[in-house]
Amino acid sequence: MSPEVILDRYIRSDMCHKRGCSGYVGKLDIDRVEPVSLRRLLRRVQSTMNEALGLEGPNASGGVQHDPLHFDYIDVTCGTENAHAFQHDGFAFITVTVPMVQSLWDLAGRLSRSTLVQQLLGLDTGTLQPESLRDLLFDIQLNFLVAHEYTHHVHRHNGVNDLWTAFFDDGEDGSLGLQAEELDADGYSLYLGVAYLLRGGGRPTALQQLGRTDVPGTSGDELLLTSFFLAVMAFFCSLWRGSIDMSRVYQFDHPPPPVRIKYAIQTAQMWAGQNESLPSSWFSGPRFRPLFRAAADVMGGTARQTWDAPMAFLRSSEGNRYDGQLFERFEAIRKKRDESASPADGDPA
């Protein structure tokens, strides 16, 4: 049976009853999507993702054996923005809802039109093509999201009832262990994304999209990594939906967005040190504060008005204790994986 049929039946009979999945009605029939421009975008993304997943080698997964991977879309009856990873009937599925794709597309568009973003990238506004910048930022965000869900499969995370979900209303049945798994998925996703963008096949295309094919060596690394973090920080900011009750932080399913951003920067710094890229001094607070401000500015609405309390908590002594305990769980996951992997597995330390 094809993965498309298996997925559709699973969504209709089982997944739609799980927490966070109300309104799920089956696998999306792309042929029925309107407008045509969105239909073409969805087809391009699906083809690219499944081609990449089909070519996955043992080094990418750290030698972990898993069911064949399949990327697809979930049809929903309401504007549910989400992504999931789960295994069912011989396949390892990575799925996103159409509202999730549309949200990232809109977010990338707003970033590409931001004067501050263009200034931080040092782009010539007279010759810049915002559509090309939008395409690059969208691809970075979606690749990060899909690679995050992919990591749940290959790092054998526990998840919630064997279903990993990108968005939850935090505070029900989470734990530090689940939050540490999410940080681990963020880290490996970032590691794969940065390697592809700075040292892999994504580099020439990305520089062309930025209109800077003339940028050499580490200067190109700086431009591409700045682009990467503008996209990923905006993605994390988009998760910050409404106020967060930090008194229940130990029961969250995912760490608060500022924590995920901090760990992402640390992972990128580690990658740069391993690959003779940018120096450690590049990864300083003054470097990233303008990037965060630019990412936050495109959010609009009243979302930023709810951020002061969580930020104050994370700077407090209790926030430091929380972060220290989370880091211990995160390190325990990495240590356990390292102990079970051979040196040739290719998984980052």
Side-chain angles (χ1 to χ4, degrees), residues 271-301:
W271 182 93
Q274 293 174 345
N275 292 275
E276 299 181 353
S277 182
L278 301 173
S280 294
S281 59
W282 192 88
F283 298 87
S284 63
R287 169 79 61 182
F288 284 90
R289 278 192 288 272
L291 303 185
F292 177 78
R293 185 171 64 252
D297 281 349
V298 304
M299 296 307 301

PDB file of all heavy atoms in Angstrom, residues 271-301:
ATOM      1  N   TRP A 271      29.417  24.420  15.166  1.00  0.00           N
ATOM      2  CA  TRP A 271      29.625  24.024  13.768  1.00  0.00           C
ATOM      3  C   TRP A 271      30.727  24.866  13.134  1.00  0.00           C
ATOM      4  O   TRP A 271      31.595  24.337  12.425  1.00  0.00           O
ATOM      5  CB  TRP A 271      28.329  24.196  12.973  1.00  0.00           C
ATOM      6  CG  TRP A 271      28.478  23.765  11.544  1.00  0.00           C
ATOM      7  CD1 TRP A 271      28.204  22.539  11.027  1.00  0.00           C
ATOM      8  CD2 TRP A 271      28.977  24.562  10.454  1.00  0.00           C
ATOM      9  NE1 TRP A 271      28.502  22.512   9.676  1.00  0.00           N
ATOM     10  CE2 TRP A 271      28.976  23.742   9.304  1.00  0.00           C
ATOM     11  CE3 TRP A 271      29.415  25.877  10.350  1.00  0.00           C
ATOM     12  CZ2 TRP A 271      29.407  24.197   8.063  1.00  0.00           C
ATOM     13  CZ3 TRP A 271      29.856  26.342   9.113  1.00  0.00           C
ATOM     14  CH2 TRP A 271      29.846  25.507   7.982  1.00  0.00           C
ATOM     15  N   ALA A 272      30.702  26.173  13.378  1.00  0.00           N
ATOM     16  CA  ALA A 272      31.705  27.061  12.787  1.00  0.00           C
ATOM     17  C   ALA A 272      33.108  26.691  13.259  1.00  0.00           C
ATOM     18  O   ALA A 272      34.066  26.705  12.475  1.00  0.00           O
ATOM     19  CB  ALA A 272      31.388  28.515  13.132  1.00  0.00           C
ATOM     20  N   GLY A 273      33.249  26.348  14.542  1.00  0.00           N
ATOM     21  CA  GLY A 273      34.559  25.957  15.053  1.00  0.00           C
ATOM     22  C   GLY A 273      35.054  24.658  14.456  1.00  0.00           C
ATOM     23  O   GLY A 273      36.258  24.484  14.224  1.00  0.00           O
ATOM     24  N   GLN A 274      34.144  23.737  14.161  1.00  0.00           N
ATOM     25  CA  GLN A 274      34.529  22.448  13.592  1.00  0.00           C
ATOM     26  C   GLN A 274      34.856  22.537  12.105  1.00  0.00           C
ATOM     27  O   GLN A 274      35.546  21.674  11.566  1.00  0.00           O
ATOM     28  CB  GLN A 274      33.396  21.432  13.800  1.00  0.00           C
ATOM     29  CG  GLN A 274      33.146  21.057  15.251  1.00  0.00           C
ATOM     30  CD  GLN A 274      31.928  20.159  15.407  1.00  0.00           C
ATOM     31  OE1 GLN A 274      31.115  20.032  14.490  1.00  0.00           O
ATOM     32  NE2 GLN A 274      31.790  19.538  16.569  1.00  0.00           N
ATOM     33  N   ASN A 275      34.348  23.577  11.431  1.00  0.00           N
ATOM     34  CA  ASN A 275      34.462  23.645   9.977  1.00  0.00           C
ATOM     35  C   ASN A 275      35.245  24.862   9.487  1.00  0.00           C
ATOM     36  O   ASN A 275      35.103  25.261   8.324  1.00  0.00           O
ATOM     37  CB  ASN A 275      33.061  23.646   9.359  1.00  0.00           C
ATOM     38  CG  ASN A 275      32.339  22.334   9.537  1.00  0.00           C
ATOM     39  OD1 ASN A 275      32.512  21.406   8.756  1.00  0.00           O
ATOM     40  ND2 ASN A 275      31.530  22.237  10.591  1.00  0.00           N
ATOM     41  N   GLU A 276      36.081  25.425  10.365  1.00  0.00           N
ATOM     42  CA  GLU A 276      36.955  26.541  10.000  1.00  0.00           C
ATOM     43  C   GLU A 276      36.171  27.661   9.328  1.00  0.00           C
ATOM     44  O   GLU A 276      36.552  28.193   8.285  1.00  0.00           O
ATOM     45  CB  GLU A 276      38.092  26.058   9.081  1.00  0.00           C
ATOM     46  CG  GLU A 276      38.985  25.017   9.731  1.00  0.00           C
ATOM     47  CD  GLU A 276      40.110  24.560   8.821  1.00  0.00           C
ATOM     48  OE1 GLU A 276      40.114  24.961   7.637  1.00  0.00           O
ATOM     49  OE2 GLU A 276      40.992  23.834   9.291  1.00  0.00           O
ATOM     50  N   SER A 277      35.072  28.014   9.946  1.00  0.00           N
ATOM     51  CA  SER A 277      34.236  29.082   9.427  1.00  0.00           C
ATOM     52  C   SER A 277      34.449  30.335  10.272  1.00  0.00           C
ATOM     53  O   SER A 277      35.600  30.732  10.487  1.00  0.00           O
ATOM     54  CB  SER A 277      32.762  28.649   9.421  1.00  0.00           C
ATOM     55  OG  SER A 277      31.934  29.646   8.889  1.00  0.00           O
ATOM     56  N   LEU A 278      33.400  30.950  10.759  1.00  0.00           N
ATOM     57  CA  LEU A 278      33.503  32.203  11.490  1.00  0.00           C
ATOM     58  C   LEU A 278      34.067  31.985  12.892  1.00  0.00           C
ATOM     59  O   LEU A 278      33.824  30.949  13.513  1.00  0.00           O
ATOM     60  CB  LEU A 278      32.120  32.849  11.576  1.00  0.00           C
ATOM     61  CG  LEU A 278      31.463  33.157  10.222  1.00  0.00           C
ATOM     62  CD1 LEU A 278      30.032  33.625  10.415  1.00  0.00           C
ATOM     63  CD2 LEU A 278      32.269  34.200   9.461  1.00  0.00           C
ATOM     64  N   PRO A 279      34.818  32.970  13.424  1.00  0.00           N
ATOM     65  CA  PRO A 279      35.402  32.825  14.767  1.00  0.00           C
ATOM     66  C   PRO A 279      34.343  32.894  15.851  1.00  0.00           C
ATOM     67  O   PRO A 279      33.237  33.417  15.638  1.00  0.00           O
ATOM     68  CB  PRO A 279      36.364  34.012  14.853  1.00  0.00           C
ATOM     69  CG  PRO A 279      35.763  35.047  13.947  1.00  0.00           C
ATOM     70  CD  PRO A 279      35.164  34.273  12.807  1.00  0.00           C
ATOM     71  N   SER A 280      34.692  32.410  17.042  1.00  0.00           N
ATOM     72  CA  SER A 280      33.746  32.423  18.164  1.00  0.00           C
ATOM     73  C   SER A 280      33.277  33.825  18.496  1.00  0.00           C
ATOM     74  O   SER A 280      32.140  34.024  18.938  1.00  0.00           O
ATOM     75  CB  SER A 280      34.392  31.785  19.395  1.00  0.00           C
ATOM     76  OG  SER A 280      34.645  30.414  19.189  1.00  0.00           O
ATOM     77  N   SER A 281      34.155  34.824  18.291  1.00  0.00           N
ATOM     78  CA  SER A 281      33.793  36.201  18.600  1.00  0.00           C
ATOM     79  C   SER A 281      32.612  36.691  17.770  1.00  0.00           C
ATOM     80  O   SER A 281      31.918  37.641  18.153  1.00  0.00           O
ATOM     81  CB  SER A 281      34.994  37.121  18.387  1.00  0.00           C
ATOM     82  OG  SER A 281      35.454  37.039  17.042  1.00  0.00           O
ATOM     83  N   TRP A 282      32.361  36.053  16.624  1.00  0.00           N
ATOM     84  CA  TRP A 282      31.244  36.475  15.767  1.00  0.00           C
ATOM     85  C   TRP A 282      29.908  36.197  16.439  1.00  0.00           C
ATOM     86  O   TRP A 282      28.930  36.898  16.204  1.00  0.00           O
ATOM     87  CB  TRP A 282      31.326  35.734  14.432  1.00  0.00           C
ATOM     88  CG  TRP A 282      30.404  36.280  13.372  1.00  0.00           C
ATOM     89  CD1 TRP A 282      30.669  37.283  12.490  1.00  0.00           C
ATOM     90  CD2 TRP A 282      29.061  35.841  13.082  1.00  0.00           C
ATOM     91  NE1 TRP A 282      29.572  37.508  11.668  1.00  0.00           N
ATOM     92  CE2 TRP A 282      28.579  36.636  12.011  1.00  0.00           C
ATOM     93  CE3 TRP A 282      28.233  34.870  13.620  1.00  0.00           C
ATOM     94  CZ2 TRP A 282      27.303  36.473  11.475  1.00  0.00           C
ATOM     95  CZ3 TRP A 282      26.957  34.710  13.089  1.00  0.00           C
ATOM     96  CH2 TRP A 282      26.503  35.509  12.031  1.00  0.00           C
ATOM     97  N   PHE A 283      29.856  35.185  17.305  1.00  0.00           N
ATOM     98  CA  PHE A 283      28.607  34.732  17.902  1.00  0.00           C
ATOM     99  C   PHE A 283      28.352  35.435  19.239  1.00  0.00           C
ATOM    100  O   PHE A 283      28.063  34.795  20.246  1.00  0.00           O
ATOM    101  CB  PHE A 283      28.637  33.221  18.091  1.00  0.00           C
ATOM    102  CG  PHE A 283      28.763  32.462  16.799  1.00  0.00           C
ATOM    103  CD1 PHE A 283      30.015  32.199  16.251  1.00  0.00           C
ATOM    104  CD2 PHE A 283      27.647  32.026  16.125  1.00  0.00           C
ATOM    105  CE1 PHE A 283      30.145  31.504  15.055  1.00  0.00           C
ATOM    106  CE2 PHE A 283      27.756  31.340  14.929  1.00  0.00           C
ATOM    107  CZ  PHE A 283      28.995  31.086  14.384  1.00  0.00           C
ATOM    108  N   SER A 284      28.415  36.739  19.252  1.00  0.00           N
ATOM    109  CA  SER A 284      28.254  37.511  20.482  1.00  0.00           C
ATOM    110  C   SER A 284      26.860  38.104  20.558  1.00  0.00           C
ATOM    111  O   SER A 284      26.141  38.193  19.556  1.00  0.00           O
ATOM    112  CB  SER A 284      29.294  38.632  20.532  1.00  0.00           C
ATOM    113  OG  SER A 284      29.082  39.545  19.457  1.00  0.00           O
ATOM    114  N   GLY A 285      26.498  38.532  21.762  1.00  0.00           N
ATOM    115  CA  GLY A 285      25.199  39.149  21.955  1.00  0.00           C
ATOM    116  C   GLY A 285      24.966  40.359  21.066  1.00  0.00           C
ATOM    117  O   GLY A 285      23.892  40.479  20.446  1.00  0.00           O
ATOM    118  N   PRO A 286      25.917  41.281  20.979  1.00  0.00           N
ATOM    119  CA  PRO A 286      25.713  42.446  20.104  1.00  0.00           C
ATOM    120  C   PRO A 286      25.453  42.065  18.653  1.00  0.00           C
ATOM    121  O   PRO A 286      24.788  42.806  17.933  1.00  0.00           O
ATOM    122  CB  PRO A 286      27.028  43.213  20.255  1.00  0.00           C
ATOM    123  CG  PRO A 286      27.518  42.846  21.611  1.00  0.00           C
ATOM    124  CD  PRO A 286      27.138  41.411  21.795  1.00  0.00           C
ATOM    125  N   ARG A 287      25.948  40.937  18.203  1.00  0.00           N
ATOM    126  CA  ARG A 287      25.714  40.493  16.838  1.00  0.00           C
ATOM    127  C   ARG A 287      24.254  40.069  16.643  1.00  0.00           C
ATOM    128  O   ARG A 287      23.640  40.370  15.614  1.00  0.00           O
ATOM    129  CB  ARG A 287      26.630  39.304  16.515  1.00  0.00           C
ATOM    130  CG  ARG A 287      26.323  38.565  15.235  1.00  0.00           C
ATOM    131  CD  ARG A 287      26.836  39.287  14.015  1.00  0.00           C
ATOM    132  NE  ARG A 287      28.289  39.426  14.101  1.00  0.00           N
ATOM    133  CZ  ARG A 287      29.026  40.057  13.190  1.00  0.00           C
ATOM    134  NH1 ARG A 287      28.440  40.611  12.143  1.00  0.00           N
ATOM    135  NH2 ARG A 287      30.334  40.154  13.336  1.00  0.00           N
ATOM    136  N   PHE A 288      23.710  39.385  17.627  1.00  0.00           N
ATOM    137  CA  PHE A 288      22.398  38.773  17.446  1.00  0.00           C
ATOM    138  C   PHE A 288      21.233  39.624  17.916  1.00  0.00           C
ATOM    139  O   PHE A 288      20.096  39.376  17.500  1.00  0.00           O
ATOM    140  CB  PHE A 288      22.373  37.403  18.137  1.00  0.00           C
ATOM    141  CG  PHE A 288      23.101  36.344  17.367  1.00  0.00           C
ATOM    142  CD1 PHE A 288      24.452  36.124  17.577  1.00  0.00           C
ATOM    143  CD2 PHE A 288      22.454  35.606  16.401  1.00  0.00           C
ATOM    144  CE1 PHE A 288      25.136  35.163  16.844  1.00  0.00           C
ATOM    145  CE2 PHE A 288      23.125  34.643  15.669  1.00  0.00           C
ATOM    146  CZ  PHE A 288      24.476  34.426  15.887  1.00  0.00           C
ATOM    147  N   ARG A 289      21.481  40.614  18.754  1.00  0.00           N
ATOM    148  CA  ARG A 289      20.377  41.457  19.202  1.00  0.00           C
ATOM    149  C   ARG A 289      19.690  42.187  18.040  1.00  0.00           C
ATOM    150  O   ARG A 289      18.446  42.227  17.980  1.00  0.00           O
ATOM    151  CB  ARG A 289      20.860  42.439  20.276  1.00  0.00           C
ATOM    152  CG  ARG A 289      20.920  41.795  21.667  1.00  0.00           C
ATOM    153  CD  ARG A 289      21.113  42.823  22.757  1.00  0.00           C
ATOM    154  NE  ARG A 289      22.460  43.376  22.771  1.00  0.00           N
ATOM    155  CZ  ARG A 289      23.473  42.835  23.453  1.00  0.00           C
ATOM    156  NH1 ARG A 289      23.288  41.729  24.150  1.00  0.00           N
ATOM    157  NH2 ARG A 289      24.659  43.402  23.431  1.00  0.00           N
ATOM    158  N   PRO A 290      20.442  42.774  17.091  1.00  0.00           N
ATOM    159  CA  PRO A 290      19.756  43.396  15.937  1.00  0.00           C
ATOM    160  C   PRO A 290      19.002  42.373  15.082  1.00  0.00           C
ATOM    161  O   PRO A 290      17.952  42.702  14.519  1.00  0.00           O
ATOM    162  CB  PRO A 290      20.903  44.040  15.143  1.00  0.00           C
ATOM    163  CG  PRO A 290      22.015  44.203  16.121  1.00  0.00           C
ATOM    164  CD  PRO A 290      21.890  43.053  17.060  1.00  0.00           C
ATOM    165  N   LEU A 291      19.524  41.144  14.982  1.00  0.00           N
ATOM    166  CA  LEU A 291      18.832  40.116  14.214  1.00  0.00           C
ATOM    167  C   LEU A 291      17.512  39.752  14.881  1.00  0.00           C
ATOM    168  O   LEU A 291      16.481  39.588  14.208  1.00  0.00           O
ATOM    169  CB  LEU A 291      19.711  38.876  14.065  1.00  0.00           C
ATOM    170  CG  LEU A 291      21.085  39.054  13.419  1.00  0.00           C
ATOM    171  CD1 LEU A 291      21.768  37.697  13.238  1.00  0.00           C
ATOM    172  CD2 LEU A 291      20.992  39.778  12.095  1.00  0.00           C
ATOM    173  N   PHE A 292      17.539  39.629  16.200  1.00  0.00           N
ATOM    174  CA  PHE A 292      16.314  39.319  16.930  1.00  0.00           C
ATOM    175  C   PHE A 292      15.307  40.464  16.791  1.00  0.00           C
ATOM    176  O   PHE A 292      14.105  40.225  16.595  1.00  0.00           O
ATOM    177  CB  PHE A 292      16.619  39.069  18.408  1.00  0.00           C
ATOM    178  CG  PHE A 292      15.397  38.808  19.238  1.00  0.00           C
ATOM    179  CD1 PHE A 292      14.771  37.571  19.222  1.00  0.00           C
ATOM    180  CD2 PHE A 292      14.849  39.815  20.029  1.00  0.00           C
ATOM    181  CE1 PHE A 292      13.636  37.332  19.982  1.00  0.00           C
ATOM    182  CE2 PHE A 292      13.717  39.578  20.779  1.00  0.00           C
ATOM    183  CZ  PHE A 292      13.109  38.339  20.754  1.00  0.00           C
ATOM    184  N   ARG A 293      15.807  41.697  16.873  1.00  0.00           N
ATOM    185  CA  ARG A 293      14.901  42.841  16.752  1.00  0.00           C
ATOM    186  C   ARG A 293      14.247  42.864  15.374  1.00  0.00           C
ATOM    187  O   ARG A 293      13.043  43.115  15.247  1.00  0.00           O
ATOM    188  CB  ARG A 293      15.659  44.144  16.988  1.00  0.00           C
ATOM    189  CG  ARG A 293      14.754  45.380  16.987  1.00  0.00           C
ATOM    190  CD  ARG A 293      15.486  46.624  17.444  1.00  0.00           C
ATOM    191  NE  ARG A 293      16.575  46.991  16.547  1.00  0.00           N
ATOM    192  CZ  ARG A 293      17.857  46.857  16.830  1.00  0.00           C
ATOM    193  NH1 ARG A 293      18.221  46.348  17.999  1.00  0.00           N
ATOM    194  NH2 ARG A 293      18.782  47.219  15.967  1.00  0.00           N
ATOM    195  N   ALA A 294      15.031  42.595  14.320  1.00  0.00           N
ATOM    196  CA  ALA A 294      14.484  42.580  12.966  1.00  0.00           C
ATOM    197  C   ALA A 294      13.455  41.469  12.802  1.00  0.00           C
ATOM    198  O   ALA A 294      12.401  41.661  12.178  1.00  0.00           O
ATOM    199  CB  ALA A 294      15.608  42.405  11.950  1.00  0.00           C
ATOM    200  N   ALA A 295      13.741  40.297  13.367  1.00  0.00           N
ATOM    201  CA  ALA A 295      12.802  39.177  13.282  1.00  0.00           C
ATOM    202  C   ALA A 295      11.525  39.485  14.043  1.00  0.00           C
ATOM    203  O   ALA A 295      10.418  39.182  13.583  1.00  0.00           O
ATOM    204  CB  ALA A 295      13.458  37.906  13.824  1.00  0.00           C
ATOM    205  N   ALA A 296      11.666  40.106  15.219  1.00  0.00           N
ATOM    206  CA  ALA A 296      10.492  40.412  16.038  1.00  0.00           C
ATOM    207  C   ALA A 296       9.654  41.516  15.419  1.00  0.00           C
ATOM    208  O   ALA A 296       8.416  41.516  15.544  1.00  0.00           O
ATOM    209  CB  ALA A 296      10.929  40.817  17.441  1.00  0.00           C
ATOM    210  N   ASP A 297      10.288  42.445  14.726  1.00  0.00           N
ATOM    211  CA  ASP A 297       9.562  43.586  14.163  1.00  0.00           C
ATOM    212  C   ASP A 297       8.549  43.177  13.110  1.00  0.00           C
ATOM    213  O   ASP A 297       7.563  43.886  12.886  1.00  0.00           O
ATOM    214  CB  ASP A 297      10.545  44.597  13.559  1.00  0.00           C
ATOM    215  CG  ASP A 297      11.194  45.481  14.619  1.00  0.00           C
ATOM    216  OD1 ASP A 297      10.728  45.458  15.770  1.00  0.00           O
ATOM    217  OD2 ASP A 297      12.169  46.185  14.292  1.00  0.00           O
ATOM    218  N   VAL A 298       8.789  42.067  12.426  1.00  0.00           N
ATOM    219  CA  VAL A 298       7.868  41.666  11.357  1.00  0.00           C
ATOM    220  C   VAL A 298       6.672  40.886  11.894  1.00  0.00           C
ATOM    221  O   VAL A 298       5.768  40.539  11.122  1.00  0.00           O
ATOM    222  CB  VAL A 298       8.588  40.809  10.282  1.00  0.00           C
ATOM    223  CG1 VAL A 298       9.777  41.560   9.713  1.00  0.00           C
ATOM    224  CG2 VAL A 298       9.017  39.463  10.833  1.00  0.00           C
ATOM    225  N   MET A 299       6.626  40.616  13.212  1.00  0.00           N
ATOM    226  CA  MET A 299       5.535  39.832  13.761  1.00  0.00           C
ATOM    227  C   MET A 299       4.222  40.600  13.722  1.00  0.00           C
ATOM    228  O   MET A 299       3.171  40.048  13.442  1.00  0.00           O
ATOM    229  CB  MET A 299       5.843  39.404  15.195  1.00  0.00           C
ATOM    230  CG  MET A 299       7.049  38.473  15.312  1.00  0.00           C
ATOM    231  SD  MET A 299       6.922  37.043  14.215  1.00  0.00           S
ATOM    232  CE  MET A 299       5.417  36.303  14.797  1.00  0.00           C
ATOM    233  N   GLY A 300       4.270  41.898  14.017  1.00  0.00           N
ATOM    234  CA  GLY A 300       3.046  42.682  13.995  1.00  0.00           C
ATOM    235  C   GLY A 300       2.121  42.327  15.142  1.00  0.00           C
ATOM    236  O   GLY A 300       2.427  41.490  16.001  1.00  0.00           O
ATOM    237  N   GLY A 301       0.977  42.992  15.183  1.00  0.00           N
ATOM    238  CA  GLY A 301      -0.001  42.703  16.214  1.00  0.00           C
ATOM    239  C   GLY A 301       0.494  43.066  17.605  1.00  0.00           C
ATOM    240  O   GLY A 301       1.334  43.948  17.783  1.00  0.00           O
TER     241      GLY A 301
END
